Amino acid sequence: MTSITRNLPWFIKDVGVVIVGQKCYVSLVEDLNISDVDCLKYALSKGLGIGIVVGGSIMKVPQLLLILSAKSARGLSLSAYVLETLAYAITLVYSYRNNFPFSTYGENFFLTVQNVVITLLIIYYPSSRLTRAHNTTPQLALATAMTVVSGIALYYVPPPTLAVLQMATIPLSLFSKIPQISQNARARSTGQLSAFAVISQVAGCLARLFTTAAEVGDPILTAGFALALLLNVILGVQMWAYWGNDGVRDNGILTEGKARHEEREKLPAAAWQQNGKVDIVVQPASPTVSSSARSQSGRRWARKLD
């Protein structure tokens, strides 16, 4: 068997060496030494890391599709996504500038980009349909400019300051999930929150705890992933508990459809949003007849009777 593994095509060997290194490739592939625990752990960590990076590239795509298909960001917390995006960006820059292997942080690049798009969509699609008629272009332009400026500032910040910011991602992770968890609890619904995204984040945090311990050993990163795991588990429990609910609550909080209907009822004329525009229908007033016209009409009928 080793005669085959030692004579694999060059392109297969090169890929294996790039992933696990020359030493572990020779031990695990060419010599088939499955008792090499260190190389087995390293290879498993690399495999998980690559899987996480690939999964991270599509993790938030279902969330994007949910928002676009519903044309609504109902149930999504803007502050939660802003803080989460900032935490992803800090971890991305911190890992890159410390020359960590890409397989240990690559998903943060894709998650940062996807979160920026989701944040902009939350600004564009407010939770209330009746407020969507307002022009959101200034808010979108401001959010885009702040994103670009923040990214440039993070890239050029001094290393000691960047280390402090990485430590700050631990409370950032906490504060980024609390608004979403609180909003779900109040509405007893997770709205447009994607179950795929939540489950993927739980699995990703579990895998990242292993890969960070095996390849990096950075206690700051480990603590951040542990806290993120705990908070994502809470979101997962909420999705299970509120599955099928559409914003219904018994103690006075209305459903989405009922609240929208009552908002329409409060308007003086029938006004509601269609495709981002507000159509106002004004009931026609009944015609009024002046007293002089009535008197003239009465005289005409009187002459005919005479």
Side-chain angles (χ1 to χ4, degrees), residues 68 96 264:
L68 292 173
Y96 173 78
R264 292 177 180 174

Side-chain angles (χ1 to χ4, degrees), residues 130 133-134 263-264 266-284:
L130 292 176
H134 297 298
E263 284 177 328
R264 292 177 180 174
K266 293 176 183 178
L267 295 174
W272 52 87
Q273 179 270 345
Q274 292 291 341
N275 296 326
K277 299 180 180 179
V278 174
D279 297 325
I280 300 179
V281 181
V282 180
Q283 299 295 335

Side-chain angles (χ1 to χ4, degrees), residues 79-302:
S79 59
Y81 266 90
V82 170
L83 294 174
E84 185 180 63
T85 305
L86 183 59
Y88 284 147
I90 292 173
T91 302
L92 171 65
V93 176
Y94 176 81
S95 301
Y96 173 78
R97 292 180 60 181
N98 280 279
N99 297 317
F100 293 155
F102 185 75
S103 61
T104 63
Y105 70 90
E107 77 280 1
N108 283 281
F109 170 75
F110 299 106
L111 292 174
T112 300
V113 173
Q114 293 171 75
N115 263 26
V116 167
V117 177
I118 291 175
T119 303
L120 295 178
L121 287 176
I122 293 174
I123 295 173
Y124 182 72
Y125 292 121
S127 57
S128 174
R129 290 175 178 263
L130 292 176
T131 61
R132 198 180 302 166
H134 297 298
N135 185 13
T136 57
T137 303
Q139 290 91 332
L140 288 174
L142 178 62
T144 303
M146 291 179 63
T147 301
V148 174
V149 171
S150 300
I152 296 173
L154 280 176
Y155 186 79
Y156 288 104
V157 75
T161 306
L162 187 59
V164 173
L165 289 176
Q166 180 59 39
M167 293 181 64
T169 59
I170 297 176
L172 274 178
S173 298
L174 177 64
F175 292 128
S176 70
K177 298 297 183 184
I178 286 179
Q180 186 67 66
I181 293 171
S182 176
Q183 183 167 315
N184 294 343
R186 285 197 307 270
R188 293 191 179 276
S189 169
T190 54
Q192 301 299 330
L193 190 64
S194 169
F196 176 81
V198 174
I199 294 172
S200 299
Q201 285 179 314
V202 171
C205 288
L206 280 171
R208 270 291 167 243
L209 285 173
F210 176 79
T211 60
T212 303
E215 297 185 55
V216 178
D218 192 308
I220 301 176
L221 289 176
T222 302
F225 287 128
L227 179 60
L229 173 64
L230 174 62
L231 296 174
N232 282 313
V233 166
I234 295 175
L235 282 176
V237 171
Q238 285 186 324
M239 293 210 72
W240 174 78
Y242 303 143
W243 189 262
N245 289 4
D246 190 21
V248 180
R249 192 170 179 181
D250 296 330
N251 56 352
I253 293 184
L254 303 172
T255 63
E256 169 85 1
K258 187 175 179 182
R260 192 182 312 140
H261 176 73
E262 294 200 356
E263 284 177 328
R264 292 177 180 174
E265 292 289 333
K266 293 176 183 178
L267 295 174
W272 52 87
Q273 179 270 345
Q274 292 291 341
N275 296 326
K277 299 180 180 179
V278 174
D279 297 325
I280 300 179
V281 181
V282 180
Q283 299 295 335
S286 59
T288 58
V289 181
S290 63
S291 58
S292 61
R294 283 197 298 268
S295 62
Q296 291 177 2
S297 177
R299 292 193 192 99
R300 285 200 300 270
W301 283 105

